[in-house]
Amino acid sequence: MGYIDAHVHVWTDDLDSYPLADGFSRDQMKPPIFLPEDILGHAEPCGVDRIVLIQMSYYRFDNSYMLDVIEEQPEIFKGIAVIDSQGGNTRDVMCDLKQKGVKGFRIYPGDASPESWLETDGYEEMFRCGADENLAMCPLINPDALPAVGRMCDKFPDTPVIIDHLSLIGDKGIIEQNEIDSLTSLARHSNIKVKVSAFYALGEKKTPHDDLGDLIRQVFMAYGPDRLMWASDCPFQVDDESYDDSVALIRDRLDYLSAEDREWILTKTAEQSFYTT
């Protein structure tokens, strides 16, 4: 098997079958459409043959389009869903989605304080169910929200957690050492993994992304290759760069990575997280 892209969004312009959530309009969909065949067209020439889909915000809690894509090609696609953590019947909703190819759930602070964003009954139930059902919590967070994740991992040490996009360190253009330290300090929790991803959005935000090398090295030293997974964050990766620009940083450029390290980051970590039962 080839590489695995652990973070991709897809959507359709068929708004009759898959209506947008309240507050979203067609003109916000950029590009207007990004289908399964579009991501595979970018991925397959680069040796990527499996894709983890992340529920797109345009649909909010209606995961229907992502689930239909998974149902059509379950050997290729798995999913990270978004649910209403305060909606009730949380465990039932999560277990139902698990049966449909969902392997985890995107969580984020929204308007809540980054210090206390996880201190709700709904998130506690999600973490508890995640531990019981081996379903990952996937935070999309800035570094200031990392301590709250650590406290939840103290409380629910068996819950898998996969932090998106290096915790967005460097998304303002500057890579701060204290933010790296916040991320690497959470490596003490053995069930936390990190997506090494969205290079186009971090640091200098231009190829070949060598400026991210030290950030990735520090995270690699803290977590090890078996707790890191690469991802593109398509379609946004291919707005101004090629898909291969993202793959190449891990595949070709970081000289502190061995061939075995690259295999873990490009394939095996995501495979164990999303493609094993």
Side-chain angles (χ1 to χ4, degrees):
M1 302 291 286
Y3 304 147
I4 296 171
D5 189 336
H7 198 109
V8 167
H9 304 278
V10 291
W11 58 86
T12 175
D13 59 356
D14 181 358
L15 302 189
D16 292 330
S17 300
Y18 304 99
L20 302 181
D22 290 346
F24 290 96
S25 61
R26 186 185 291 271
D27 61 7
Q28 293 173 283
M29 300 167 67
K30 295 178 181 179
I33 189 168
F34 195 72
L35 301 173
E37 49 265 41
D38 294 321
I39 181 56
L40 291 174
H42 289 287
E44 289 177 340
C46 298
V48 176
D49 59 14
R50 285 174 288 177
I51 308 288
V52 181
L53 300 176
I54 313 300
Q55 167 72 350
M56 188 56 199
S57 56
Y58 304 149
Y59 301 119
R60 205 162 182 234
F61 304 135
D62 182 355
N63 296 275
S64 300
Y65 182 63
M66 182 184 73
L67 294 176
D68 286 349
V69 172
I70 295 170
E71 184 178 21
E72 287 186 9
Q73 299 182 84
E75 72 287 352
I76 295 176
F77 296 107
K78 301 301 178 186
I80 302 298
V82 176
I83 65 172
D84 182 358
S85 66
Q86 307 305 313
N89 300 316
T90 302
R91 179 176 292 268
D92 291 343
V93 172
M94 291 173 67
C95 289
D96 177 64
L97 288 167
K98 179 182 179 180
Q99 298 306 310
K100 297 174 181 177
V102 166
K103 299 294 184 177
F105 296 86
R106 165 165 269 193
I107 57 175
Y108 42 84
D111 295 329
S113 163
E115 291 81 16
S116 59
W117 68 284
L118 287 170
E119 296 173 9
T120 69
D121 291 343
Y123 276 136
E124 289 214 357
E125 184 61 16
M126 289 186 73
F127 270 75
R128 187 175 294 109
C129 183
D132 294 342
E133 298 293 334
N134 193 33
L135 292 166
M137 300 297 103
C138 302
L140 175 65
I141 51 175
N142 291 309
D144 60 357
L146 287 167
V149 174
R151 290 192 294 273
M152 284 295 272
C153 290
D154 287 334
K155 193 169 187 177
F156 300 99
D158 296 327
T159 303
V161 173
I162 303 172
I163 296 172
D164 283 346
H165 307 329
L166 292 160
S167 195
L168 298 171
I169 293 170
D171 70 329
K172 302 293 192 299
I174 300 173
I175 297 173
E176 301 282 3
Q177 184 61 47
N178 66 306
E179 295 183 343
I180 300 175
D181 294 343
S182 293
L183 179 57
T184 57
S185 71
L186 291 189
R188 68 185 186 274
H189 298 285
S190 60
N191 274 330
I192 293 184
K193 299 176 182 177
V194 178
K195 287 182 187 172
V196 182
S197 53
F199 305 141
Y200 71 92
L202 305 178
E204 295 177 1
K205 304 180 183 180
K206 61 182 181 181
T207 58
H209 302 295
D210 289 339
D211 63 301
L212 303 179
D214 186 59
L215 162 61
I216 296 170
R217 181 190 61 80
Q218 292 188 57
V219 175
F220 166 75
M221 295 298 294
Y223 287 88
D226 58 333
R227 293 167 62 191
L228 303 182
M229 62 184 76
W230 166 81
S232 70
D233 194 27
C234 268
F236 311 113
Q237 163 60 32
V238 295
D239 280 347
D240 298 307
E241 301 181 11
S242 74
Y243 189 86
D244 194 63
D245 287 331
S246 180
V247 183
L249 183 61
I250 304 300
R251 185 192 63 210
D252 303 330
R253 300 194 63 81
L254 303 180
D255 58 9
Y256 50 81
L257 299 178
S258 69
E260 183 178 3
D261 296 335
R262 298 178 203 275
E263 183 180 10
W264 275 104
I265 297 170
L266 289 167
T267 303
K268 291 172 67 175
T269 305
E271 186 172 60
Q272 290 186 355
S273 296
F274 300 117
Y275 290 88
T276 58
T277 56

